[in-house]
Short mmCIF file of all heavy atoms in Angstrom, two decimals:
data_model
loop_
_atom_site.label_atom_id
_atom_site.label_comp_id
_atom_site.label_asym_id
_atom_site.label_seq_id
_atom_site.Cartn_x
_atom_site.Cartn_y
_atom_site.Cartn_z
N HIS A 110 1.70 -17.54 7.42
CA HIS A 110 1.70 -16.15 6.97
C HIS A 110 0.34 -15.48 7.23
O HIS A 110 0.27 -14.34 7.67
CB HIS A 110 2.02 -16.07 5.47
CG HIS A 110 3.44 -16.38 5.13
ND1 HIS A 110 3.77 -17.24 4.10
CD2 HIS A 110 4.61 -15.95 5.67
CE1 HIS A 110 5.09 -17.32 4.02
NE2 HIS A 110 5.61 -16.55 4.97
N ILE A 111 -0.72 -16.21 6.94
CA ILE A 111 -2.06 -15.65 7.16
C ILE A 111 -2.29 -15.36 8.64
O ILE A 111 -2.86 -14.33 9.01
CB ILE A 111 -3.14 -16.62 6.63
CG1 ILE A 111 -3.05 -16.74 5.11
CG2 ILE A 111 -4.54 -16.15 7.04
CD1 ILE A 111 -3.30 -15.43 4.37
N GLU A 112 -1.85 -16.27 9.49
CA GLU A 112 -2.01 -16.06 10.93
C GLU A 112 -1.23 -14.83 11.39
O GLU A 112 -1.74 -14.01 12.18
CB GLU A 112 -1.53 -17.30 11.69
CG GLU A 112 -2.44 -18.51 11.49
CD GLU A 112 -1.89 -19.77 12.14
OE1 GLU A 112 -0.71 -19.73 12.60
OE2 GLU A 112 -2.62 -20.79 12.16
N ALA A 113 -0.01 -14.68 10.90
CA ALA A 113 0.80 -13.51 11.28
C ALA A 113 0.18 -12.23 10.74
O ALA A 113 0.13 -11.20 11.44
CB ALA A 113 2.22 -13.68 10.76
N LEU A 114 -0.31 -12.27 9.51
CA LEU A 114 -0.91 -11.09 8.90
C LEU A 114 -2.19 -10.69 9.64
O LEU A 114 -2.46 -9.50 9.86
CB LEU A 114 -1.21 -11.37 7.43
CG LEU A 114 -1.62 -10.19 6.54
CD1 LEU A 114 -0.53 -9.13 6.52
CD2 LEU A 114 -1.92 -10.67 5.13
N THR A 115 -2.97 -11.68 10.05
CA THR A 115 -4.19 -11.42 10.80
C THR A 115 -3.87 -10.77 12.15
O THR A 115 -4.57 -9.85 12.60
CB THR A 115 -4.98 -12.71 11.01
OG1 THR A 115 -5.32 -13.27 9.73
CG2 THR A 115 -6.26 -12.47 11.80
N ALA A 116 -2.80 -11.23 12.80
CA ALA A 116 -2.39 -10.64 14.08
C ALA A 116 -1.96 -9.18 13.90
O ALA A 116 -2.29 -8.32 14.73
CB ALA A 116 -1.26 -11.45 14.70
N ILE A 117 -1.25 -8.90 12.83
CA ILE A 117 -0.84 -7.51 12.54
C ILE A 117 -2.07 -6.65 12.30
O ILE A 117 -2.16 -5.51 12.78
CB ILE A 117 0.09 -7.48 11.31
CG1 ILE A 117 1.43 -8.15 11.65
CG2 ILE A 117 0.32 -6.04 10.85
CD1 ILE A 117 2.32 -8.37 10.44
N GLN A 118 -3.04 -7.19 11.57
CA GLN A 118 -4.28 -6.45 11.31
C GLN A 118 -5.04 -6.18 12.60
O GLN A 118 -5.60 -5.08 12.79
CB GLN A 118 -5.15 -7.23 10.33
CG GLN A 118 -6.51 -6.60 10.04
CD GLN A 118 -6.43 -5.25 9.37
OE1 GLN A 118 -5.38 -4.86 8.85
NE2 GLN A 118 -7.53 -4.52 9.38
N GLU A 119 -5.07 -7.13 13.50
CA GLU A 119 -5.75 -6.93 14.78
C GLU A 119 -5.08 -5.81 15.57
O GLU A 119 -5.78 -4.99 16.20
CB GLU A 119 -5.74 -8.23 15.58
CG GLU A 119 -6.66 -9.29 15.00
CD GLU A 119 -6.53 -10.64 15.69
OE1 GLU A 119 -5.61 -10.78 16.54
OE2 GLU A 119 -7.33 -11.55 15.39
N ASP A 120 -3.77 -5.75 15.55
CA ASP A 120 -3.06 -4.65 16.24
C ASP A 120 -3.40 -3.31 15.60
O ASP A 120 -3.58 -2.30 16.29
CB ASP A 120 -1.54 -4.88 16.17
CG ASP A 120 -1.08 -6.03 17.06
OD1 ASP A 120 -1.85 -6.43 17.96
OD2 ASP A 120 0.04 -6.52 16.85
N PHE A 121 -3.48 -3.29 14.27
CA PHE A 121 -3.84 -2.07 13.55
C PHE A 121 -5.23 -1.59 13.96
O PHE A 121 -5.44 -0.41 14.26
CB PHE A 121 -3.76 -2.33 12.05
CG PHE A 121 -4.32 -1.24 11.18
CD1 PHE A 121 -3.75 0.03 11.17
CD2 PHE A 121 -5.41 -1.48 10.36
CE1 PHE A 121 -4.26 1.04 10.37
CE2 PHE A 121 -5.92 -0.48 9.55
CZ PHE A 121 -5.35 0.79 9.56
N GLU A 122 -6.19 -2.51 13.98
CA GLU A 122 -7.55 -2.14 14.35
C GLU A 122 -7.64 -1.70 15.81
O GLU A 122 -8.42 -0.79 16.15
CB GLU A 122 -8.49 -3.31 14.06
CG GLU A 122 -8.62 -3.62 12.58
CD GLU A 122 -9.58 -4.76 12.29
OE1 GLU A 122 -10.54 -4.95 13.07
OE2 GLU A 122 -9.38 -5.46 11.28
N SER A 123 -6.84 -2.31 16.66
CA SER A 123 -6.80 -1.90 18.06
C SER A 123 -6.30 -0.46 18.19
O SER A 123 -6.82 0.32 19.00
CB SER A 123 -5.90 -2.84 18.87
OG SER A 123 -5.77 -2.40 20.20
N ALA A 124 -5.31 -0.10 17.39
CA ALA A 124 -4.79 1.28 17.41
C ALA A 124 -5.85 2.27 16.94
O ALA A 124 -5.94 3.39 17.46
CB ALA A 124 -3.55 1.38 16.53
N ILE A 125 -6.67 1.86 15.97
CA ILE A 125 -7.76 2.73 15.53
C ILE A 125 -8.76 2.96 16.66
O ILE A 125 -9.17 4.10 16.92
CB ILE A 125 -8.48 2.11 14.31
CG1 ILE A 125 -7.55 2.06 13.10
CG2 ILE A 125 -9.75 2.90 13.97
CD1 ILE A 125 -8.14 1.35 11.89
N VAL A 126 -9.13 1.90 17.35
CA VAL A 126 -10.08 2.01 18.46
C VAL A 126 -9.53 2.93 19.54
O VAL A 126 -10.26 3.74 20.13
CB VAL A 126 -10.40 0.61 19.03
CG1 VAL A 126 -11.22 0.73 20.31
CG2 VAL A 126 -11.15 -0.23 18.00
N ARG A 127 -8.21 2.84 19.80
CA ARG A 127 -7.58 3.67 20.84
C ARG A 127 -7.32 5.09 20.36
O ARG A 127 -6.88 5.93 21.14
CB ARG A 127 -6.24 3.06 21.27
CG ARG A 127 -6.32 1.67 21.84
CD ARG A 127 -5.01 1.29 22.54
NE ARG A 127 -3.83 1.58 21.76
CZ ARG A 127 -3.27 0.74 20.88
NH1 ARG A 127 -3.83 -0.45 20.67
NH2 ARG A 127 -2.18 1.07 20.21
N SER A 128 -7.55 5.35 19.07
CA SER A 128 -7.22 6.66 18.47
C SER A 128 -5.74 6.96 18.64
O SER A 128 -5.34 8.12 18.86
CB SER A 128 -8.07 7.77 19.08
OG SER A 128 -9.44 7.56 18.81
N ASP A 129 -4.91 5.92 18.54
CA ASP A 129 -3.46 6.07 18.64
C ASP A 129 -2.91 6.24 17.23
O ASP A 129 -2.63 5.27 16.53
CB ASP A 129 -2.86 4.83 19.32
CG ASP A 129 -1.38 4.98 19.63
OD1 ASP A 129 -0.70 5.79 18.97
OD2 ASP A 129 -0.91 4.26 20.53
N HIS A 130 -2.76 7.50 16.82
CA HIS A 130 -2.42 7.80 15.43
C HIS A 130 -1.06 7.22 15.06
O HIS A 130 -0.90 6.63 13.98
CB HIS A 130 -2.44 9.31 15.21
CG HIS A 130 -2.29 9.72 13.78
ND1 HIS A 130 -3.28 9.50 12.84
CD2 HIS A 130 -1.27 10.31 13.12
CE1 HIS A 130 -2.88 9.95 11.67
NE2 HIS A 130 -1.66 10.44 11.81
N ALA A 131 -0.07 7.39 15.93
CA ALA A 131 1.27 6.89 15.63
C ALA A 131 1.26 5.37 15.48
O ALA A 131 1.88 4.80 14.57
CB ALA A 131 2.26 7.32 16.71
N ALA A 132 0.54 4.68 16.36
CA ALA A 132 0.50 3.22 16.31
C ALA A 132 -0.25 2.72 15.08
O ALA A 132 0.14 1.72 14.48
CB ALA A 132 -0.15 2.67 17.58
N LEU A 133 -1.30 3.41 14.68
CA LEU A 133 -2.04 2.93 13.51
C LEU A 133 -1.24 3.15 12.22
O LEU A 133 -1.31 2.34 11.29
CB LEU A 133 -3.44 3.56 13.43
CG LEU A 133 -3.61 5.02 13.06
CD1 LEU A 133 -3.69 5.23 11.56
CD2 LEU A 133 -4.91 5.56 13.70
N LEU A 134 -0.45 4.24 12.18
CA LEU A 134 0.42 4.43 11.03
C LEU A 134 1.46 3.32 10.95
O LEU A 134 1.72 2.78 9.87
CB LEU A 134 1.12 5.80 11.11
CG LEU A 134 0.28 7.03 10.78
CD1 LEU A 134 1.10 8.30 11.00
CD2 LEU A 134 -0.26 6.98 9.36
N ARG A 135 2.06 2.99 12.09
CA ARG A 135 3.03 1.89 12.11
C ARG A 135 2.37 0.57 11.73
O ARG A 135 2.91 -0.22 10.95
CB ARG A 135 3.68 1.77 13.49
CG ARG A 135 4.65 2.90 13.83
CD ARG A 135 5.48 2.52 15.06
NE ARG A 135 4.65 2.24 16.22
CZ ARG A 135 4.26 3.15 17.11
NH1 ARG A 135 4.62 4.42 16.95
NH2 ARG A 135 3.51 2.81 18.15
N GLY A 136 1.18 0.32 12.28
CA GLY A 136 0.49 -0.93 12.00
C GLY A 136 0.10 -1.06 10.54
O GLY A 136 0.19 -2.15 9.97
N ASN A 137 -0.33 0.02 9.96
CA ASN A 137 -0.68 0.00 8.54
C ASN A 137 0.54 -0.33 7.69
O ASN A 137 0.47 -1.13 6.76
CB ASN A 137 -1.26 1.36 8.15
CG ASN A 137 -1.91 1.34 6.78
OD1 ASN A 137 -2.61 0.40 6.43
ND2 ASN A 137 -1.66 2.37 6.00
N GLY A 138 1.66 0.29 8.04
CA GLY A 138 2.89 0.00 7.32
C GLY A 138 3.33 -1.45 7.49
O GLY A 138 3.73 -2.11 6.52
N ARG A 139 3.24 -1.96 8.71
CA ARG A 139 3.64 -3.34 8.97
C ARG A 139 2.80 -4.33 8.17
O ARG A 139 3.32 -5.34 7.68
CB ARG A 139 3.49 -3.67 10.46
CG ARG A 139 4.56 -3.09 11.37
CD ARG A 139 4.28 -3.48 12.81
NE ARG A 139 4.31 -4.93 12.97
CZ ARG A 139 3.51 -5.61 13.79
NH1 ARG A 139 2.59 -4.98 14.51
NH2 ARG A 139 3.62 -6.93 13.89
N PHE A 140 1.52 -4.05 8.03
CA PHE A 140 0.62 -4.95 7.30
C PHE A 140 1.12 -5.14 5.87
O PHE A 140 1.26 -6.27 5.40
CB PHE A 140 -0.79 -4.36 7.31
CG PHE A 140 -1.80 -5.19 6.57
CD1 PHE A 140 -2.48 -6.21 7.22
CD2 PHE A 140 -2.08 -4.94 5.23
CE1 PHE A 140 -3.42 -6.98 6.53
CE2 PHE A 140 -3.01 -5.70 4.54
CZ PHE A 140 -3.69 -6.73 5.19
N HIS A 141 1.39 -4.06 5.19
CA HIS A 141 1.79 -4.15 3.79
C HIS A 141 3.23 -4.65 3.65
O HIS A 141 3.53 -5.44 2.75
CB HIS A 141 1.59 -2.81 3.10
CG HIS A 141 0.14 -2.42 3.06
ND1 HIS A 141 -0.73 -2.93 2.13
CD2 HIS A 141 -0.59 -1.62 3.87
CE1 HIS A 141 -1.95 -2.44 2.35
NE2 HIS A 141 -1.89 -1.65 3.40
N ASP A 142 4.10 -4.19 4.53
CA ASP A 142 5.48 -4.66 4.48
C ASP A 142 5.56 -6.18 4.65
O ASP A 142 6.38 -6.84 4.02
CB ASP A 142 6.31 -3.98 5.58
CG ASP A 142 6.46 -2.48 5.37
OD1 ASP A 142 6.09 -2.00 4.27
OD2 ASP A 142 6.93 -1.80 6.30
N TYR A 143 4.68 -6.72 5.50
CA TYR A 143 4.72 -8.15 5.74
C TYR A 143 4.36 -8.92 4.46
O TYR A 143 5.00 -9.92 4.13
CB TYR A 143 3.75 -8.53 6.87
CG TYR A 143 3.88 -10.00 7.25
CD1 TYR A 143 4.86 -10.41 8.14
CD2 TYR A 143 3.04 -10.96 6.70
CE1 TYR A 143 5.01 -11.76 8.47
CE2 TYR A 143 3.17 -12.30 7.02
CZ TYR A 143 4.16 -12.70 7.90
OH TYR A 143 4.31 -14.02 8.21
N ILE A 144 3.37 -8.44 3.74
CA ILE A 144 2.98 -9.12 2.50
C ILE A 144 4.14 -9.07 1.50
O ILE A 144 4.50 -10.08 0.89
CB ILE A 144 1.72 -8.49 1.89
CG1 ILE A 144 0.53 -8.68 2.84
CG2 ILE A 144 1.42 -9.10 0.52
CD1 ILE A 144 -0.74 -7.97 2.38
N TYR A 145 4.74 -7.87 1.33
CA TYR A 145 5.86 -7.75 0.39
C TYR A 145 7.00 -8.69 0.76
O TYR A 145 7.74 -9.17 -0.11
CB TYR A 145 6.40 -6.33 0.35
CG TYR A 145 5.36 -5.25 0.13
CD1 TYR A 145 5.55 -3.98 0.67
CD2 TYR A 145 4.21 -5.49 -0.60
CE1 TYR A 145 4.63 -2.99 0.48
CE2 TYR A 145 3.27 -4.49 -0.78
CZ TYR A 145 3.47 -3.24 -0.24
OH TYR A 145 2.55 -2.25 -0.41
N GLY A 146 7.16 -8.93 2.05
CA GLY A 146 8.29 -9.73 2.53
C GLY A 146 8.13 -11.22 2.38
O GLY A 146 9.09 -11.97 2.61
N VAL A 147 6.94 -11.69 2.02
CA VAL A 147 6.74 -13.13 1.85
C VAL A 147 7.64 -13.66 0.74
O VAL A 147 8.27 -14.71 0.87
CB VAL A 147 5.26 -13.44 1.55
CG1 VAL A 147 5.09 -14.90 1.15
CG2 VAL A 147 4.39 -13.12 2.77
N HIS A 148 7.72 -12.93 -0.35
CA HIS A 148 8.61 -13.30 -1.46
C HIS A 148 9.13 -12.00 -2.07
O HIS A 148 8.67 -11.56 -3.12
CB HIS A 148 7.85 -14.14 -2.49
CG HIS A 148 8.74 -14.78 -3.52
ND1 HIS A 148 9.70 -15.72 -3.19
CD2 HIS A 148 8.81 -14.62 -4.86
CE1 HIS A 148 10.32 -16.12 -4.29
NE2 HIS A 148 9.82 -15.46 -5.32
#
Side-chain angles (χ1 to χ4, degrees):
H110 289 133
I111 294 298
E112 291 174 351
L114 191 59
T115 300
I117 292 171
Q118 176 64 15
E119 289 173 353
D120 288 343
F121 171 63
E122 293 182 30
S123 176
I125 294 175
V126 172
R127 300 194 312 272
S128 297
D129 188 336
H130 188 70
L133 72 87
L134 285 176
R135 289 193 302 270
N137 191 42
R139 285 180 61 216
F140 179 88
H141 296 280
D142 294 349
Y143 186 84
I144 296 175
Y145 308 150
V147 170
H148 191 63

